[in-house]
Amino acid sequence: MQFEDLIDTQPLWLNEEGLSNEIVLSSRIRLARNLEGYRFPTRAREKELEDVSELVKDAVTKSPYFANGLSFKTKHLSQLDIEFVRERHLLSTKKRIVDCVVGKGEIVSVLINEEDHIRIQCLASGLNIKAVYPVIFKIDEILSSNLTYAFRNDFGYLTSCPTNVGTGMRVSCLLHLPGLVLTKEINKLLDDVMSRGFSVRGLYGEGSEIEGNFFQLSNQITLGIDEEEIATKTEKEIRNVIDLERETRDKLMREAGERVEDKIWRSYGILKNARMLSQEEFVNLSSAVRLGIGIGLIDNTYLKLLNYLLLYTAPAHLQKMKGKIMDADTRDIERANYVREVLKRT
Amino acid sequence: MQFEDLIDTQPLWLNEEGLSNEIVLSSRIRLARNLEGYRFPTRAREKELEDVSELVKDAVTKSPYFANGLSFKTKHLSQLDIEFVRERHLLSTKKRIVDCVVGKGEIVSVLINEEDHIRIQCLASGLNIKAVYPVIFKIDEILSSNLTYAFRNDFGYLTSCPTNVGTGMRVSCLLHLPGLVLTKEINKLLDDVMSRGFSVRGLYGEGSEIEGNFFQLSNQITLGIDEEEIATKTEKEIRNVIDLERETRDKLMREAGERVEDKIWRSYGILKNARMLSQEEFVNLSSAVRLGIGIGLIDNTYLKLLNYLLLYTAPAHLQKMKGKIMDADTRDIERANYVREVLKRT
């Protein structure tokens, strides 16, 4: 697979067949690992980083999950391509020079020399932590048998940032919570969630804004607790949020059904007809339509299209598809055209 | 014809076949007349008004334009029905106790004992003053040969309000001017129009707000000028406004085409999908769609439906159709339902 083929292949974790997919967009686990005897990427010299990269890539190729995959270095990418891989959640920062190895379908990937020497990531559609868990630890097993991890019996895995020390594991789900937002119950919920040791971020990870009622919920604690317990506790917390969101949607429809239906159908009408759409507006309108699908107002076949569009209407994706750099106004026009074209497929 | 049949028959002047119908909704002439020897309605006793009413109705029935028509007294109408006939432009005030005689299709009507003893009104679709003119003067001729008008050789026809003295004639067109509004050129134009002796009002006549970019343009001067000259000058002024609106639309599409198209298609999408619509929002959204039809973006078959909806989504029409009194929220829901139902007919 070549880098330029990425744009033409939809990540498999974006298909809509996961559990509780009316609320959970995707599940993700990532492990942070570092090599014994090498400085963390923030402090290492270039030669050291190159050595790390060679070692890790050699180890990664031993895993069948990366057969027919793709490998690229961000320093060889244009600004547009860096933005493009960020939009695909393959990269979470613009800053570092990193290597990325991606398995077919983008279910698994390994980032080399980002914040840590190694970041292993595995994704699945919907609420599916149980499916992700064995995959990521199989990859970890292959890597650990070919590399010497920085590990202390008292601490566990050592990581560049102390918040990851221990298991180096973060379990997260991308949740769509319009009911809790519309009823203004979200802030109390987020406070509760955080007080129980979980953290909440926006659609594009750390530092990103809460857009379109999307929230990434993940474990905060990585130390003094084993991997299975992190996965179990995080999934329990997420199931609790899902239940609350479902109850809130029912309550909302009982108490303000007409207003909610009106908001949903207007959003649908605008998506199907607008000639200019900013990304922010697309995300917000599609959030309302997503709620409409969730409560059974709008046909379920739209969910797959909205998931696809959530990625492919992002600025770099739009520009890669059109094969040219476009200013914001032109992107808004092309975005609206593309949304209309895709929504006609139902 | 019975009063209760009105709701089921669309006024003929609302069909979309008039000239310049992409800008001119309707043309109207009204004549104000009073009977010699009777005090103006504002000052007359009840018995006097009843005598006037009998005399005028007798005279009106002699005109073939009122065959198979309808006659009603507002004092026998409910508040809802009074609002209903106001929405149909048969009555312009809520205040007086008046008689109304309406010809078939609501092209012609005579109001008795409103501001003047007699107000004759004739309407046509689009720019069609030339068609209205002979009809209204044929009715005036029949009435004048059966009644004694209050008339002075020096003044002309005497009227209750001095602004109507002379010809008692007002020629008006209902114009849709979104181009001039969007480009903010409307205020200068209105100033010019008024400085040339014309007046401008909103959709529902005197005292009503400018809604949905609709303007009623009419002659201000009725004295010292003959009827044909009033008609000719007013039509010339209106043709001038139409030309300016067309030029402005062309300019707007050249300079901000995407934004205007976006506004039009969003409005279309909302009308087709909303579940709650206030009257004000309907008028404004349909104004944008009307512009879309005018510039050829949206199929012309919608024009007839929008004209129909402009009347039938008004509060009293909605309630008459549903056969019950409804609060504002319920009307907004029924209005949205009705708009979707009617727009599906294309």
Side-chain angles (χ1 to χ4, degrees):
Chain A
M1 192 181 184
Q2 301 295 308
F3 184 84
E4 289 305 327
D5 299 334
L6 269 184
I7 184 73
D8 299 322
T9 51
Q10 190 182 347
L12 285 178
W13 57 268
L14 252 186
N15 80 48
E16 97 296 18
E17 278 146 40
L19 298 167
S20 299
N21 64 21
E22 92 281 19
I23 294 175
V24 187
L25 200 82
S26 59
S27 301
R28 171 180 177 262
I29 299 180
R30 73 110 172 94
L31 300 175
R33 300 289 186 256
N34 288 277
L35 299 193
E36 184 71 43
Y38 293 86
R39 278 170 287 196
F40 290 135
T42 40
R43 298 184 154 251
R45 306 240 172 85
E46 203 176 326
K47 176 73 180 70
E48 222 173 338
L49 293 176
E50 277 168 22
D51 292 346
V52 168
S53 180
E54 285 313 304
L55 285 168
V56 176
K57 281 202 275 188
D58 274 356
V60 168
T61 53
K62 297 197 165 64
S63 161
Y65 290 105
F66 293 90
N68 305 312
L70 169 74
S71 168
F72 60 87
K73 279 183 193 295
T74 59
K75 72 170 170 186
H76 296 148
L77 298 184
S78 65
Q79 273 307 106
L80 180 65
D81 282 338
I82 288 179
E83 198 49 42
F84 168 66
V85 289
R86 261 171 58 82
E87 287 172 356
R88 283 181 103 86
H89 298 265
L90 292 173
L91 206 67
S92 61
T93 171
K94 292 182 194 182
K95 286 167 208 135
R96 279 168 230 285
I97 294 170
V98 301
D99 279 76
C100 184
V101 191
V102 190
K104 202 163 180 256
E106 294 166 66
I107 292 294
V108 296
S109 60
V110 172
L111 271 188
I112 308 167
N113 291 326
E114 203 215 27
E115 192 179 297
D116 295 293
H117 292 146
I118 302 169
R119 288 276 178 110
I120 315 168
Q121 171 173 273
C122 182
L123 283 151
S125 185
L127 177 63
N128 223 339
I129 295 167
K130 284 188 180 70
V132 175
Y133 192 89
V135 173
I136 200 153
F137 282 102
K138 266 183 204 155
I139 296 168
D140 186 47
E141 204 182 300
I142 291 173
L143 294 192
S144 73
S145 64
N146 288 280
L147 300 163
T148 309
Y149 282 162
F151 182 86
R152 297 289 171 277
N153 283 329
D154 44 1
F155 282 128
Y157 297 101
L158 301 185
T159 56
S160 170
C161 175
T163 58
N164 292 313
V165 168
T167 56
M169 175 180 178
R170 192 176 287 276
V171 178
S172 66
C173 280
L174 185 55
L175 304 169
H176 183 237
L177 307 174
L180 290 159
V181 173
L182 281 170
T183 55
K184 301 189 166 64
E185 289 172 35
I186 191 74
N187 288 331
K188 194 192 166 302
L189 176 79
L190 295 183
D191 286 349
D192 289 353
V193 165
M194 287 189 271
S195 74
R196 286 192 289 264
F198 299 89
S199 77
V200 180
R201 294 163 178 180
L203 185 52
Y204 290 100
E206 200 158 4
S208 71
E209 301 247 336
I210 305 295
E211 251 181 47
N213 307 314
F214 283 112
F215 298 84
Q216 275 195 48
L217 192 155
S218 63
N219 62 303
Q220 185 64 53
I221 298 158
T222 58
L223 187 67
I225 177 171
D226 76 19
E227 286 83 352
E228 257 193 76
E229 211 180 336
I230 292 176
T232 310
K233 284 195 169 167
T234 309
E235 177 158 349
K236 197 182 154 204
E237 190 65 30
I238 286 163
R239 285 187 184 276
N240 178 42
V241 174
I242 294 171
D243 288 345
L244 281 175
E245 171 66 18
R246 283 187 182 141
E247 283 166 28
T248 312
R249 289 181 182 188
D250 289 347
K251 192 176 152 221
L252 197 60
M253 292 313 291
R254 278 195 311 273
E255 291 175 7
E258 287 99 351
R259 271 166 222 284
V260 177
E261 283 198 30
D262 184 51
K263 187 183 160 68
I264 289 167
W265 284 109
R266 279 167 186 254
S267 302
Y268 172 90
I270 294 173
L271 281 182
K272 284 232 171 190
N273 287 285
R275 262 54 182 173
M276 294 184 86
L277 273 176
S278 72
Q279 187 188 19
E280 191 188 345
E281 193 187 8
F282 170 76
V283 172
N284 288 325
L285 291 171
S286 68
S287 167
V289 175
R290 199 176 279 274
L291 173 62
I293 298 164
I295 61 176
L297 274 185
I298 292 180
D299 196 276
N300 202 44
T301 53
Y302 277 96
L303 195 56
K304 195 173 198 138
L305 300 179
L306 290 185
N307 284 353
Y308 174 81
L309 284 172
L310 191 64
L311 185 60
Y312 278 79
T313 58
H317 272 75
L318 262 187
Q319 293 175 87
K320 292 282 286 180
M321 272 195 295
K322 292 280 151 187
K324 62 182 177 194
I325 302 289
M326 300 185 284
D327 62 20
D329 270 7
T330 311
R331 287 203 301 272
D332 288 355
I333 293 168
E334 291 295 349
R335 182 177 294 112
N337 291 344
Y338 192 62
V339 168
R340 291 202 315 283
E341 188 189 314
V342 170
L343 292 187
K344 264 195 202 128
R345 289 178 199 164
T346 52
Chain B
M1 192 183 185
Q2 301 295 309
F3 185 85
E4 288 305 326
D5 299 334
L6 268 183
I7 185 73
D8 299 321
T9 51
Q10 190 183 346
L12 286 178
W13 57 268
L14 251 186
N15 80 48
E16 97 294 19
E17 278 145 41
L19 298 168
S20 299
N21 64 21
E22 92 281 19
I23 295 175
V24 187
L25 200 83
S26 59
S27 301
R28 173 180 176 261
I29 300 180
R30 73 110 173 95
L31 300 175
R33 300 288 185 256
N34 287 277
L35 299 193
E36 184 73 42
Y38 293 86
R39 277 171 288 195
F40 290 135
T42 41
R43 299 183 154 250
R45 305 239 172 87
E46 203 177 326
K47 177 71 181 70
E48 222 173 337
L49 293 176
E50 277 169 23
D51 291 347
V52 168
S53 179
E54 285 313 303
L55 285 167
V56 176
K57 281 202 275 187
D58 274 357
V60 168
T61 53
K62 298 198 163 64
S63 161
Y65 289 106
F66 293 90
N68 305 313
L70 170 74
S71 169
F72 61 86
K73 279 182 193 295
T74 60
K75 73 171 170 184
H76 296 147
L77 299 184
S78 66
Q79 271 307 105
L80 180 66
D81 282 337
I82 288 179
E83 198 49 42
F84 167 66
V85 290
R86 261 172 58 83
E87 288 171 357
R88 283 181 101 88
H89 297 266
L90 292 173
L91 205 67
S92 60
T93 171
K94 292 182 195 180
K95 287 167 208 134
R96 280 168 230 284
I97 294 169
V98 301
D99 278 77
C100 183
V101 190
V102 190
K104 203 162 179 257
E106 294 166 65
I107 292 293
V108 296
S109 60
V110 173
L111 272 187
I112 307 166
N113 292 327
E114 204 215 25
E115 192 179 298
D116 295 293
H117 292 145
I118 303 170
R119 288 277 179 109
I120 315 168
Q121 172 174 271
C122 183
L123 283 151
S125 185
L127 177 62
N128 223 337
I129 296 167
K130 284 190 180 68
V132 175
Y133 192 88
V135 173
I136 200 153
F137 282 103
K138 265 183 203 155
I139 296 169
D140 186 46
E141 204 182 300
I142 291 173
L143 295 192
S144 73
S145 64
N146 287 280
L147 300 163
T148 309
Y149 282 163
F151 182 86
R152 297 286 171 278
N153 283 329
D154 43 1
F155 282 128
Y157 296 100
L158 301 187
T159 56
S160 169
C161 175
T163 58
N164 291 314
V165 168
T167 56
M169 176 178 176
R170 191 175 287 276
V171 178
S172 66
C173 280
L174 185 55
L175 303 170
H176 182 238
L177 307 175
L180 290 159
V181 173
L182 281 170
T183 55
K184 300 189 168 61
E185 288 174 35
I186 191 75
N187 287 331
K188 194 191 164 303
L189 175 79
L190 295 184
D191 285 348
D192 290 352
V193 165
M194 286 190 274
S195 74
R196 286 193 290 265
F198 299 90
S199 77
V200 180
R201 295 164 178 179
L203 185 52
Y204 291 100
E206 201 160 3
S208 72
E209 300 247 335
I210 304 295
E211 251 181 46
N213 307 315
F214 283 112
F215 298 85
Q216 276 194 46
L217 192 155
S218 63
N219 62 304
Q220 185 65 53
I221 297 158
T222 57
L223 186 67
I225 176 170
D226 76 20
E227 286 84 352
E228 256 192 76
E229 211 180 336
I230 292 176
T232 310
K233 284 194 168 168
T234 309
E235 177 158 348
K236 196 180 156 206
E237 190 66 29
I238 286 164
R239 285 188 184 277
N240 177 41
V241 174
I242 294 171
D243 287 346
L244 281 175
E245 171 66 19
R246 284 188 181 139
E247 282 166 27
T248 312
R249 289 181 182 188
D250 289 347
K251 192 176 153 221
L252 197 60
M253 292 312 292
R254 277 196 312 273
E255 292 174 7
E258 287 99 351
R259 272 166 221 285
V260 176
E261 282 198 31
D262 185 50
K263 188 184 159 69
I264 289 167
W265 283 109
R266 279 168 187 254
S267 302
Y268 173 89
I270 295 173
L271 281 182
K272 284 232 171 192
N273 287 285
R275 261 54 181 174
M276 293 184 85
L277 274 177
S278 71
Q279 187 188 19
E280 191 188 345
E281 194 187 6
F282 169 76
V283 172
N284 288 325
L285 292 170
S286 67
S287 167
V289 175
R290 200 175 280 273
L291 173 62
I293 299 164
I295 61 177
L297 274 185
I298 292 180
D299 195 275
N300 202 44
T301 53
Y302 277 96
L303 195 55
K304 196 175 197 136
L305 300 179
L306 290 184
N307 284 352
Y308 174 81
L309 284 171
L310 191 64
L311 184 61
Y312 279 78
T313 59
H317 272 75
L318 263 187
Q319 294 176 86
K320 291 282 288 180
M321 272 195 296
K322 292 281 152 186
K324 61 182 178 195
I325 301 290
M326 299 185 285
D327 62 21
D329 271 7
T330 311
R331 287 203 303 270
D332 288 355
I333 293 168
E334 291 295 349
R335 182 177 294 112
N337 291 344
Y338 192 62
V339 167
R340 292 202 313 285
E341 187 190 315
V342 170
L343 292 187
K344 265 195 200 127
R345 289 179 199 162
T346 51

